Amino acid sequence: VNPMGEWEGLRPTLRASLLTTASDNVKFVDGVALGEVSNVYIPQEAGELPHERLTLGMVLAGQRGVRTLDTAPRPYDFFDLKGMVEAFWPAVGVRELVFTPADDPFFQPGRAASVTVAGTHLGVLGEVHPRVTAAFGLSGRVLLAELDLEPIILAVAAHHGTLRSLPPISRFAPTENDFAVVVDENTPAGEVAQVLSQALGRLVQRVQLFDVYRGEQVPAGKKSLAFAVTLQAPDRALAEDEITKMRDRAAAALQKRLKASLRQ
């Protein structure tokens, strides 16, 4: 009734304003990477005030980086945005992010992910559908994330006034191991990485997808996901037989939980 600025309504989402801002800026630069932290207002039953949720919005459009001697600019893609989300959350003490396929008409089919932590839904990220980007005067790939900050605030508040213990730094060199996992075509890579991490246990430092293969060497309807797994013990160098046992344990867990197998 009496808006304090140019907005005449309470936003239930940051998506439209993020795309509008990206469209205004990409006219003058090759690429934009923008974010906003603001309240959104979720409608409730008739006669009730809307529910306020502090929300983080991020949008990427255009070219990533500048031309240098060794690299050339390229369009932003899904993994640029996913990497930003993965880097941000651990910095505020929240770990165990899980990404699963999301079905949202705002995004391209097959190019969106739901984000959860400890079973709590945080939001969604993905590549915006071309029909949506065209409506905002944008072209090419546009990536957007909208994530609820309320669970993050609660998690950080729970640590207020307490010291976090940092993991010990081992003086023994880590080992890099490749795991090529054959799974059904519709199995998300994040689910495979989670099974690997849980099966290998506390010695896992990092599980990173680096290749996806479909072809003659895997059966029809299957794909091979290759992960680089870093293993390190705090008190010893890992022996070959210990790594072999861990690999066997991972193979058993993959077969039991995902009907997957390790390629030799």
Side-chain angles (χ1 to χ4, degrees):
V1 175
N2 183 26
M4 298 173 64
E6 61 178 289
W7 298 99
E8 296 182 357
L10 300 178
R11 294 178 291 176
T13 175
L14 300 181
R15 297 180 184 187
S17 53
L18 285 168
L19 293 178
T20 298
T21 305
S23 179
D24 290 342
N25 282 271
V26 81
K27 299 172 184 175
F28 307 104
V29 293
D30 293 331
V32 294
L34 304 170
E36 178 181 1
V37 174
S38 186
N39 282 331
V40 299
Y41 300 86
I42 311 301
Q44 303 299 304
E45 298 292 332
E48 295 185 11
L49 291 174
H51 187 195
E52 290 187 42
R53 301 292 292 184
L54 189 63
T55 302
L56 167 67
M58 303 165 67
V59 63
L60 308 177
Q63 298 288 315
R64 177 186 186 276
V66 296
R67 184 178 301 171
T68 67
L69 183 62
D70 299 318
T71 61
R74 63 167 178 80
Y76 281 109
D77 62 24
F78 174 86
F79 295 102
D80 290 315
L81 184 59
K82 180 173 179 282
M84 292 178 184
V85 172
E86 289 176 315
F88 171 74
W89 254 245
V92 293
V94 178
R95 303 187 184 277
E96 300 297 329
L97 287 178
V98 176
F99 297 86
T100 55
D103 184 13
D104 187 321
F106 181 85
F107 297 99
Q108 280 264 49
R111 299 187 185 180
S114 175
V115 186
T116 59
V117 60
T120 299
H121 178 71
L122 296 183
V124 66
L125 66 127
E127 183 176 330
V128 183
H129 198 286
R131 287 200 297 268
V132 178
T133 58
F136 286 86
L138 290 162
S139 60
R141 287 184 172 180
V142 178
L143 294 306
L144 186 142
E146 189 172 37
L147 303 169
D148 187 4
L149 287 181
E150 296 290 343
I152 308 306
I153 293 171
L154 293 175
V156 174
H159 292 100
H160 182 68
T162 64
L163 293 176
R164 290 187 214 160
S165 59
L166 297 177
I169 299 175
S170 176
R171 65 185 180 88
F172 297 94
T175 64
E176 298 288 342
N177 305 268
D178 290 349
F179 286 74
V181 185
V182 178
V183 294
D184 291 338
E185 179 63 50
N186 61 355
T187 301
E191 192 171 340
V192 180
Q194 189 175 23
V195 172
L196 274 175
S197 181
Q198 292 173 352
L200 294 172
R202 60 185 180 84
L203 300 185
V204 173
Q205 301 297 315
R206 184 168 175 262
V207 178
Q208 179 66 51
L209 178 71
F210 70 88
D211 186 56
V212 180
Y213 172 77
R214 301 174 178 88
E216 297 178 357
Q217 298 181 34
V218 296
K222 303 279 188 178
K223 62 186 176 184
S224 175
L225 303 176
F227 294 86
V229 179
T230 304
L231 301 172
Q232 187 179 36
D235 57 352
R236 67 190 185 281
L238 293 176
E240 191 64 35
D241 61 339
E242 188 175 5
I243 295 174
T244 299
K245 289 179 182 178
M246 295 175 69
R247 179 177 286 272
D248 292 343
R249 190 165 68 240
L254 288 165
Q255 173 60 37
K256 181 179 180 180
R257 295 178 57 180
L258 300 177
K259 299 295 186 290
S261 61
L262 288 180
R263 289 177 66 192
Q264 301 301 321

